[in-house]
């Protein structure tokens, strides 16, 4: 029971972080049909920038994280404006190649400034242990889950009720019709990229807080693929649920069946689910009416 | 209020679709733009609303003037903000959003956000069926309900000029009747000027104050509905009321398909 609780907690932490990363990924895909292979590197950049502000320059972490968010928005806007926008209308494979190129560039940028060896992250989440029943649970994980959950709730409300959130979904549905409402599609793309960059940067900070800053942080970003395929490439609730399911699956298989299997079993489950639901659990079905 | 002077539109840099198109829409009126399939009616509306860009179309000559200012170089968002709203052909509701979210999308450019609730209520009084379905995903509404939603969405923008592209397309006659009545009410009660594109000439001539008939990218005939209804060509080709023995055979063949459409 104690082990189960521990594993559940680990799974939920990782899952909540996967969900955050997947959210940004899905947003970009929905708005502009781009599969962003650089999503993992947004985590990396976010983690290192916070590390620079808080760990190296000694700023209070609230200020450091805030500045990181500002820089992440800028990064998202720059990438959208100068890398992706010129590619509108190009074949999808060129766009994918460009995001892969962007990924290498960001990685090179990080290693040229901070080197390639991992470093400890200044713990901004106080680390103490909480006793739940017989289980001893590190508080940083619980706090990471709570922070991720708050972010996910904010975004869910944003897409359901806010004018800009609804406009984003409208653009994803029918670009020309969105244009006819006076929605600026350019602005929506920019918004999608900034949100994706911010959520990824924050996820990067949460990951780094647990495992320190190193190239591994970007690897977490790559695990987003099973998540979005499971949830449905174009579904925001799917991204959130998919993240949590994959997080838990990895933790349980790692804990009960051995760590070698923890990355494999989620893929097996994924394939089984796709056989039943080809659009993913929540993927938007083409609505066909007669 | 709106004037097109000799407008020329080219798609993909080569396909000339509008060839010197001119028309005028006076404030507060309902103006009908009629013509058979492929005449360039939708292109005309998109030229006005700035929606040609995503289709690689461009106004290459002439001018479009709205309330005294040239608007053919503005982008779609600016044109909506100035008060022109196009209800696109084929309804084009946001399928994965619910009815209410579609209406909110329609109000995107509104500055007076406080009045939006109240306007939503007004849409629901015009279309009570939308109120019942306010939480339903728009993609699953019937064709008629989607058309109502498309018009409701336009109302949410409080446009000065509403342009409707074939609102009767694919709907049962009774529904078409209902929708046309509401279009007339919107015109009277809200004072919204209306530019109505239709293939269904008979109905459009019932509600319009003035009508244009277009062929091949330009206007070939215009006038008050009463006058047009008396015109022999209109009767024959647009209303399907041919008088026996008066048909010219080659035109007959050429227009056969078309005429069948008008009859429906
Ligand atoms: N995006 C486009 N690219 C090229 N040609 C087009 C495009 N849209 C319409 N056309 C052509 O322009 C002509 C007029 O089309 P349209 O304006 O849709 O006519 P209508 O609405 O009167 O049926 C047609 O011959 C059509 O093939
Ligand atoms: Mg048309």
């Amino acid at each position: 029971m104690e082990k189960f609780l521990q594993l559940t907690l680990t799974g939920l932490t990782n899952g909540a972080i996967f969900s955050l990363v997947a959210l940004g990924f899905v947003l970009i895909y929905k708005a502009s049909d781009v599969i962003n292979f650089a999503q993992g590197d947004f985590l990396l950049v976010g983690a290192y920038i916070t590390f620079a502000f808080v760990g190296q320059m000694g700023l209070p972490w609230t200020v450091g994280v805030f500045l990181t968010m500002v820089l992440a928005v800028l990064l998202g806007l720059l990438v959208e404006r100068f890398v992706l926008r010129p590619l509108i209308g190009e074949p999808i494979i060129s766009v994918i190649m460009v995001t892969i190129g962007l990924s290498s560039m960001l990685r090179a940028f990080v290693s040229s400034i901070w080197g390639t060896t991992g470093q400890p992250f200044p713990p901004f989440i106080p680390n103490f242990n909480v006793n739940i029943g017989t289980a001893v649970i590190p508080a940083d994980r619980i706090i990471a889950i709570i922070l991720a959950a708050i972010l996910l709730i904010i975004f869910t409300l944003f897409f359901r009720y806010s004018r800009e959130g609804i406009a984003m979904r409208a653009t994803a549905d029918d670009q020309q019709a969105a244009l006819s409402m006076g929605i600026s599609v350019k602005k929506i793309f920019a918004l999608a990229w900034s949100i994706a960059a911010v959520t990824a940067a924050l996820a990067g900070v949460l990951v780094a807080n647990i495992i320190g800053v190193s190239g591994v942080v970007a690897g977490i970003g790559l695990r987003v693929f099973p998540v979005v395929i499971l949830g449905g490439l174009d579904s925001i609730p799917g991204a959130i649920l998919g993240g949590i399911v994959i997080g838990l699956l990895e933790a349980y298989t790692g804990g009960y069946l051995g760590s070698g299997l923890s990355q494999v079993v989620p893929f097996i489950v994924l394939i089984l689910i796709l056989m039943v639901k080809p659009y993913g659990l929540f993927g938007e079905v083409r609505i066909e009416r007669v | 209020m709106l004037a097109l002077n000799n407008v020329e539109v080219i798609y993909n840099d080569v396909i000339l679709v509008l060839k010197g198109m001119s028309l005028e829409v006076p404030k507060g009126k309902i103006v009908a733009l009629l013509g058979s399939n492929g005449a360039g009616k939708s292109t005309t509306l998109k030229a006005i609303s700035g929606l040609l860009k995503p289709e690689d179309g461009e106004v290459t000559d002439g001018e479009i003037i709205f309330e005294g200012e040239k608007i053919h170089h503005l982008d779609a968002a600016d044109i909506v903000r100035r008060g022109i709203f196009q209800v696109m052909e084929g309804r084009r509701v946001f399928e994965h959003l619910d009815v209410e979210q579609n209406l909110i999308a329609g109000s995107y450019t509104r500055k007076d956000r406080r009045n939006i609730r109240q306007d939503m209520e007004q849409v629901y009084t015009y279309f009570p069926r939308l109120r019942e379905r306010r939480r339903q995903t728009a993609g699953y509404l019937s064709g008629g309900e989607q058309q109502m939603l498309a018009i409701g969405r336009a109302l949410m923008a409080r446009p000065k000029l509403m342009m409707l592209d074939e609102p009767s397309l694919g709907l049962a006659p009774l529904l078409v009747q209902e929708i046309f009545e509401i279009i007339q009410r919107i015109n009277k009660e809200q004072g919204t000027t209306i530019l109505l594109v239709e293939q269904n000439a008979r109905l459009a001539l019932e509600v319009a104050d003035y009508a244009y008939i277009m062929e091949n990218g330009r206007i070939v005939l215009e006038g008050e509905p009463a006058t047009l209804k008396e015109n022999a060509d209109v009767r024959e080709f647009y209303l399907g009321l041919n008088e026996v023995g008066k048909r010219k055979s080659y035109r007959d063949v050429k227009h056969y398909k078309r005429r069948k459409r008008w009859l429906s």
Side-chain angles (χ1 to χ4, degrees):
Chain A
M1 187 60 207
E2 189 187 321
K3 185 174 182 188
F4 178 75
L5 211 64
Q6 298 271 16
L7 292 175
T8 305
L9 198 72
T10 311
L12 282 178
T13 320
N14 294 347
I17 291 169
F18 292 162
S19 303
L20 267 184
V21 186
L23 178 76
F25 185 92
V26 164
L27 260 191
I28 290 176
Y29 180 78
K30 263 176 91 87
S32 57
D33 286 338
V34 172
I35 293 183
N36 179 22
F37 279 88
Q39 190 77 5
D41 306 281
F42 282 179
L43 267 78
L44 189 70
V45 172
Y48 270 102
I49 290 177
T50 305
F51 170 71
F53 284 138
V54 181
Q56 297 181 313
M57 293 160 63
L59 295 176
W61 71 265
T62 40
V63 178
V65 171
F66 177 75
L67 289 177
T68 304
M69 288 169 67
V70 173
L71 287 180
V73 169
L74 273 177
L75 176 67
L77 291 177
L78 283 175
V79 168
E80 192 278 326
R81 180 67 189 82
F82 294 105
V83 184
L84 272 305
R85 200 181 300 169
L87 286 170
I88 288 177
E90 298 294 321
I92 196 77
I93 188 74
S94 345
V95 181
I96 288 176
M97 292 312 287
V98 166
T99 68
I100 292 175
L102 178 67
S103 157
S104 324
M105 266 172 52
L106 291 175
R107 221 169 278 207
F109 165 75
V110 165
S111 55
S112 69
I113 296 184
W114 291 283
T116 47
T117 46
Q119 314 216 35
F121 196 70
F124 73 90
I125 299 176
N127 201 0
F128 54 90
N129 288 329
V130 189
N131 296 313
I132 298 180
T134 52
V136 181
I137 287 161
D140 59 348
R141 288 198 165 263
I142 295 183
I143 292 171
I145 292 175
I146 293 170
L147 287 178
I150 290 173
L151 285 171
L152 292 172
I153 289 167
I154 290 174
F155 280 113
T156 306
L157 296 176
F158 171 76
F159 291 120
R160 186 157 308 163
Y161 299 110
S162 81
R163 186 172 70 126
E164 297 298 333
I166 288 172
M168 285 183 91
R169 288 166 55 213
T171 307
D173 246 19
D174 186 335
Q175 233 174 70
Q176 198 182 26
L179 220 58
S180 81
M181 309 283 112
I183 295 169
S184 156
V185 173
K186 278 184 219 158
K187 187 173 142 199
I188 294 297
F189 282 11
L191 196 60
W193 279 87
S194 351
I195 293 177
V198 168
T199 50
L202 291 173
V205 172
L206 292 176
V207 172
N209 187 67
I210 297 168
I211 65 168
V213 277
S214 70
V216 180
V217 175
I220 303 279
L222 286 182
R223 308 250 282 279
V224 75
F225 290 105
V227 171
V228 292
I229 293 167
L230 177 69
L233 268 177
D234 53 6
S235 163
I236 292 159
I240 296 172
L241 206 86
I244 289 162
V245 169
I246 297 279
L248 286 173
L249 269 175
E250 281 190 15
Y252 293 143
T253 42
Y256 292 120
L257 302 174
S259 60
L261 284 173
S262 73
Q263 310 262 317
V264 181
V265 171
F267 279 96
I268 297 173
V269 173
L270 186 64
I271 289 165
L272 290 178
I273 288 178
L274 288 184
M275 282 161 68
V276 191
K277 302 211 66 164
Y279 291 101
L281 287 177
F282 292 90
E284 285 181 346
V285 199
R286 274 240 132 65
I287 296 178
E288 307 255 6
R289 269 182 342 97
V290 263
Chain B
M1 180 181 225
L2 176 80
L4 273 69
N5 299 324
N6 280 306
V7 171
E8 190 177 277
V9 166
I10 296 184
Y11 283 111
N12 307 315
D13 294 326
V14 284
I15 311 165
L16 180 62
V17 172
L18 293 194
K19 306 157 187 169
M21 171 76 187
S22 300
L23 63 74
E24 218 170 303
V25 184
K27 195 176 162 85
K29 301 284 185 205
I30 300 182
V31 172
L33 175 58
L34 312 174
S36 49
N37 206 10
K41 305 180 298 298
S42 297
T43 302
T44 305
L45 294 195
K46 288 177 201 160
I48 299 167
S49 58
L51 290 179
L52 287 174
K53 219 176 269 169
E55 297 187 15
D56 206 10
E58 202 187 348
V59 176
T60 48
D61 202 8
E63 53 185 17
I64 301 174
I65 296 169
F66 181 64
E67 295 187 316
E69 286 180 64
K70 290 182 189 172
I71 57 164
H72 49 279
H73 294 305
L74 301 179
D75 61 11
D78 285 333
I79 293 170
V80 175
R81 276 198 198 91
R82 280 174 189 240
I84 301 181
F85 199 101
Q86 178 177 354
V87 178
M88 294 176 75
E89 185 177 339
R91 312 186 278 266
R92 305 286 285 269
V93 297
F94 300 116
E95 296 195 330
H96 296 99
L97 305 192
D98 67 23
V99 167
E100 202 150 304
Q101 290 167 338
N102 265 276
L103 293 178
I104 292 172
S107 73
Y108 185 79
T109 51
R110 289 276 296 278
K111 293 235 168 58
D112 50 333
R113 317 279 327 152
R114 274 180 303 145
N115 300 327
I116 281 178
R117 271 284 137 200
Q118 181 189 324
D119 286 13
M120 211 177 261
E121 281 308 311
Q122 188 188 60
V123 170
Y124 292 145
T125 51
Y126 279 118
F127 303 108
R129 244 180 297 178
L130 292 183
R131 189 200 302 275
E132 295 162 31
R133 309 228 187 290
R134 63 207 293 172
R135 297 271 166 240
Q136 257 181 43
T137 306
Y140 294 111
L141 299 178
S142 72
E145 290 160 351
Q146 286 189 347
Q147 188 61 61
M148 294 173 186
L149 181 54
I151 297 173
R153 202 165 58 170
L155 277 173
M156 292 300 292
R158 281 203 190 166
K160 296 174 191 157
L161 169 66
M162 194 188 287
M163 306 193 292
L164 297 143
D165 198 346
E166 304 206 24
S168 73
L169 198 74
L171 301 185
L174 262 175
L175 260 173
V176 173
Q177 198 66 46
E178 190 182 333
I179 283 174
F180 270 61
E181 272 162 24
I182 288 171
I183 293 171
Q184 276 181 296
R185 272 182 60 199
I186 291 171
N187 170 251
K188 297 255 147 51
E189 296 168 12
Q190 312 292 321
T192 312
T193 309
I194 286 173
L195 175 54
L196 173 64
V197 160
E198 263 301 336
Q199 286 201 41
N200 189 332
R202 196 189 318 234
L203 256 172
L205 289 178
E206 288 300 313
V207 301
D209 298 304
Y210 198 80
Y212 291 87
I213 294 179
M214 97 182 272
E215 282 291 327
N216 241 319
R218 58 169 71 89
I219 299 297
V220 290
L221 206 59
E222 64 178 276
E224 315 265 331
T227 331
L228 287 179
K229 279 188 231 169
E230 292 313 310
N231 181 297
D233 281 342
V234 176
R235 289 175 72 84
E236 181 169 356
F237 300 118
Y238 297 95
L239 297 173
L241 302 168
N242 53 306
E243 287 141 77
V244 189
K246 274 196 171 177
R247 306 189 226 163
K248 296 173 194 124
S249 61
Y250 86 94
R251 286 179 93 187
D252 193 33
V253 176
K254 194 175 152 209
H255 292 291
Y256 177 69
K257 266 196 183 148
R258 243 191 231 173
R259 192 165 67 237
K260 271 187 78 177
R261 271 182 180 281
W262 299 108
L263 279 167
S264 64

